[in-house]
Amino acid sequence: MLSKRIRNITPSATSAMLTKVAELRAAGVNVIGFNVGEPDFPTPRKVVDACEKALEEGKTKYTPFNGLGLAKEAVCRKLKKDNGLDYEPSQIVISTGAKQALTNAIFAICDEGDEVIIPTPCYVSYVEVIKLTGASAVLVPSNEDFSLNVKKIADAVTPRTKAILINTPNNPTGAVYTEPDLKALGEVAEKNGLYVIADEVYEKLVYGSAKHVSIACLSPWLLDHTVTVNGLSKACSMTGWRFGYTATNKEMAKAISSLQAHMTSCSTSFVQYAAITGLEECEAEITEMVAAFKERRDYLHARLTSMPGITCTLADGAFYLMPHVDAYLGKSCNGRKIETSFDFAEFLLEHAHIAVVAGDAFIMPGTVRLAYSTSMDNIKKGMDAMEQALKLLK
Ligand code: PLP
């Protein structure tokens, strides 16, 4: 019999959909993927070169559990330069992707019976990892435009609340939380003595006048009580490299390091050497990628909102848009009724050959998530096909 903890995990809500996409592709259908949460750009050449150099130099052994000194120093310089955050290397833990960094943080903070507040829609891995610790996620809906509803968050605090977990820029909404909202949220955390876990993996992907703000920089109290999580998966198109980190107070960093020592020993040695280049020398590549994402976002938004019944916030960050499609729920095609966002996503896959993720998978019924981490040509073709397919729904 599997453990209760494992039996309690909800399987990925999108796995059935992914199987269907794979089946269609295997049958020769050209499915355009708006479902993939990773940049479609190559990893910068400089990073690959730095990795090759590290391998040639034999940098293939364990590093300290909390990461290579040089990598932690590079993270500190990055956090100072980009985020106005003052950390020492002893406050940094390098991990195997931001996901491990998040998992470490959640395990270091949560006890059985604790509660962690998460604004929704949200990245569902948070909920599952919190459940694994015996704590529970308290889900608080965001405003209509996906901005933080700080009042609702404050109302959700109970004596069991241990932390608030935020993600800005946000997956799945693309929302970039504003400084006033983050300040207000920080005040709620301080008043109630809560940790803040700030997932900032999409930090580099912001458009127009939007600005990413790290909540930890907003007060000395927040600097001490925030676990900032980041990595290079989205910033440098390095999803497969698995480089992430936490920055936090010394006690928490020590606890996270000790947990990681037992779980994975350390992040891959040569990846840590390459990541130093990713952290400090890839601004030009990132700027180019961000410009391409902005052009795609503007086009995708214009196409989506020109379709009857669809409304969509023009989100300022990440590479996601989350249109409302509730106008199509209750309609049918060939006798098959669209009841939920899962049905709608399946309909688009069958009739437009585009893969999107149902909003229900992120606790946001009546919406779907489209990632514009695919070429402009694909976006154009995909939107043409979607426009035609929607006409079939009566
Ligand atoms: N946090 C969010 C909000 C994400 O969307 C993702 C990946 O999709 C991660 C964390 C995981 O990042 P990493 O690839 O560095 O583990």
Side-chain angles (χ1 to χ4, degrees):
M1 171 79 98
L2 295 171
S3 72
K4 250 195 242 155
R5 283 208 161 86
I6 288 299
R7 281 182 283 137
N8 202 19
I9 291 183
T10 310
S12 162
T14 53
S15 57
M17 173 82 177
L18 290 175
T19 309
K20 275 207 173 133
V21 172
E23 279 168 7
L24 280 172
R25 284 188 174 141
V29 178
N30 179 24
V31 176
I32 297 177
F34 288 91
N35 57 328
V36 182
E38 64 182 350
D40 54 321
F41 298 90
T43 299
R45 184 68 234 174
K46 285 173 200 160
V47 175
V48 177
D49 289 344
C51 182
E52 283 175 0
K53 183 166 176 281
L55 279 166
E56 269 161 25
E57 288 173 356
K59 307 271 176 52
T60 56
K61 301 292 163 76
Y62 290 130
T63 72
F65 299 136
N66 57 2
L68 207 61
L70 291 173
K72 287 187 289 174
E73 283 165 19
V75 167
C76 288
R77 286 193 296 273
K78 180 256 172 258
L79 290 169
K80 175 78 182 157
K81 178 168 154 269
D82 294 349
N83 312 90
L85 295 168
D86 276 306
Y87 287 109
E88 295 171 15
S90 60
Q91 296 178 274
I92 308 297
V93 181
I94 309 287
S95 299
T96 310
K99 227 174 204 176
Q100 192 196 9
L102 278 162
T103 305
N104 286 343
I106 291 167
F107 269 82
I109 289 174
C110 292
D111 276 316
E112 198 110 351
D114 286 345
E115 293 174 351
V116 179
I117 294 175
I118 309 176
T120 59
C122 71
Y123 184 57
V124 280
S125 291
Y126 300 148
V127 177
E128 298 308 314
V129 176
I130 289 166
K131 266 169 37 183
L132 278 174
T133 69
S136 55
V138 175
L139 305 171
V140 177
S142 298
N143 295 318
E144 187 72 22
D145 63 356
F146 300 133
S147 58
L148 280 175
N149 189 325
V150 180
K151 160 107 186 39
K152 272 198 192 148
I153 291 173
D155 290 346
V157 175
T158 74
R160 289 171 172 243
T161 311
K162 198 80 181 282
I164 304 173
L165 196 170
I166 54 166
N167 170 217
T168 182
N170 188 270
N171 175 12
T173 68
V176 180
Y177 298 155
T178 64
E179 185 165 337
D181 281 351
L182 289 170
K183 256 196 180 129
L185 186 79
E187 281 160 19
V188 174
E190 182 165 1
K191 186 172 154 215
N192 295 284
L194 309 176
Y195 288 107
V196 177
I197 303 172
D199 178 351
E200 304 187 351
V201 285
Y202 292 95
E203 150 197 49
K204 296 281 181 185
L205 309 180
V206 288
Y207 315 113
S209 58
K211 194 172 159 266
H212 168 75
V213 176
S214 290
I215 191 167
C217 82
L218 295 178
S219 77
W221 191 90
L222 281 167
L223 182 65
D224 201 42
H225 291 81
T226 299
V227 185
T228 301
V229 174
N230 207 330
L232 288 176
S233 288
K234 320 287 174 171
C236 271
S237 207
M238 288 175 64
T239 45
W241 294 68
R242 314 310 302 130
F243 180 89
Y245 56 89
T246 42
T248 183
N249 66 53
K250 283 186 187 164
E251 184 195 12
M252 182 70 73
K254 210 167 156 198
I256 286 175
S257 173
S258 147
L259 173 65
Q260 182 163 289
H262 291 300
M263 305 277 268
T264 54
S265 292
C266 62
S267 168
T268 308
S269 55
F270 41 89
V271 166
Q272 293 189 58
Y273 283 96
I276 297 170
T277 304
L279 286 163
E280 303 206 287
E281 292 176 38
C282 293
E283 282 308 318
E285 288 87 343
I286 294 170
T287 304
E288 206 176 303
M289 183 170 76
V290 170
F293 277 140
K294 181 179 183 302
E295 194 190 347
R296 295 174 187 180
R297 176 202 67 155
D298 291 346
Y299 177 80
L300 179 64
H301 182 263
R303 288 297 304 269
L304 286 168
T305 52
S306 74
M307 295 182 204
I310 292 191
T311 57
C312 182
T313 299
L314 181 63
D316 288 322
F319 38 67
Y320 305 112
L321 287 176
M322 200 171 209
H324 288 270
V325 297
D326 4 21
Y328 290 93
L329 305 188
K331 296 198 174 189
S332 301
C333 171
N334 298 337
R336 245 171 74 195
K337 200 168 172 190
I338 308 289
E339 314 251 25
T340 66
S341 68
F342 287 115
D343 299 339
F344 186 79
E346 211 170 302
F347 165 81
L348 287 180
L349 183 60
E350 277 174 30
H351 295 275
H353 296 156
I354 67 169
V356 304
V357 183
D360 282 280
F362 305 101
I363 315 162
M364 188 68 200
T367 64
V368 286
R369 187 197 75 176
L370 283 89
Y372 43 93
S373 48
T374 187
S375 71
M376 197 63 165
D377 189 43
N378 275 344
I379 296 175
K380 283 181 182 157
K381 285 187 185 136
M383 288 302 98
D384 288 347
M386 178 169 168
E387 203 164 57
Q388 290 310 311
L390 291 182
K391 292 180 186 159
L392 301 172
L393 286 172
K394 309 282 179 218

